[in-house]
Amino acid sequence: MMIGKEDIEDYCLSKEGSSKEYPFDETTAVFKVGNKMFALFNDEDFPVRINLKCDPFYAMELRKMYPQQVIAGYHMSKKHWNTIICDESVDTSLLFSWIDDSYELVFNGLSKKMQAQVLTSS
């Protein structure tokens, strides 16, 4: 079964201090923590194609392991971002773990002051 954008959106917004914005256009949903992006997708894409931040070495590994579903980040730094094509072959728990990784990378890159603000505002 293919995961829907509502499920992905709900999961992204369940992360502490996360928010959803449309800074680029009316259809590109951007999920942020501490004013830094950790996920984005176009509301009109079917299947959903979500961009997620990723450790550069792990990003390359995922592209090799899942060549049909994981590609270099579309319109993003190819080194630090992957695009996941969320068709019926993508396991939901695996996708959610990649979202977790992206969120944690971005959160851990925030200043200690910003991390504290995110945690206290949630």
Side-chain angles (χ1 to χ4, degrees):
M1 187 171 111
M2 195 170 348
I3 185 165
K5 79 175 168 106
E6 294 82 14
D7 296 321
I8 296 170
E9 182 175 315
D10 289 347
Y11 192 76
C12 288
L13 290 174
S14 74
K15 311 307 273 166
E16 273 195 282
S18 66
S19 63
K20 176 183 167 186
E21 301 175 10
Y22 288 86
F24 304 120
D25 55 40
E26 308 82 42
T27 61
T28 305
V30 176
F31 299 88
K32 294 182 174 185
V33 59
N35 284 330
K36 302 259 185 204
M37 294 189 298
F38 70 91
L40 62 144
F41 63 77
N42 188 309
D43 287 336
E44 297 178 343
D45 283 350
F46 185 82
V48 175
R49 297 166 60 97
I50 186 170
N51 286 358
L52 298 171
K53 191 153 190 170
C54 193
D55 170 82
F57 296 108
Y58 188 46
M60 295 298 291
E61 285 299 310
L62 290 176
R63 292 175 204 164
K64 288 178 189 171
M65 291 169 58
Y66 305 97
Q68 302 302 311
Q69 299 85 13
V70 181
I71 59 176
Y74 182 70
H75 285 308
M76 306 294 284
S77 165
K78 310 286 187 244
K79 182 177 179 180
H80 295 280
W81 290 82
N82 278 340
T83 297
I84 316 304
I85 302 164
C86 302
D87 61 16
E88 60 278 342
S89 67
V90 173
D91 179 75
T92 302
S93 61
L94 191 56
L95 174 64
F96 285 175
S97 76
W98 294 337
I99 292 171
D100 292 343
D101 290 345
S102 181
Y103 172 88
E104 288 170 21
L105 266 174
V106 173
F107 180 83
N108 291 334
L110 299 174
S111 68
K112 296 296 178 197
K113 180 179 178 182
M114 182 60 79
Q115 287 179 3
Q117 286 177 352
V118 166
L119 295 175
T120 57
S121 70
S122 296

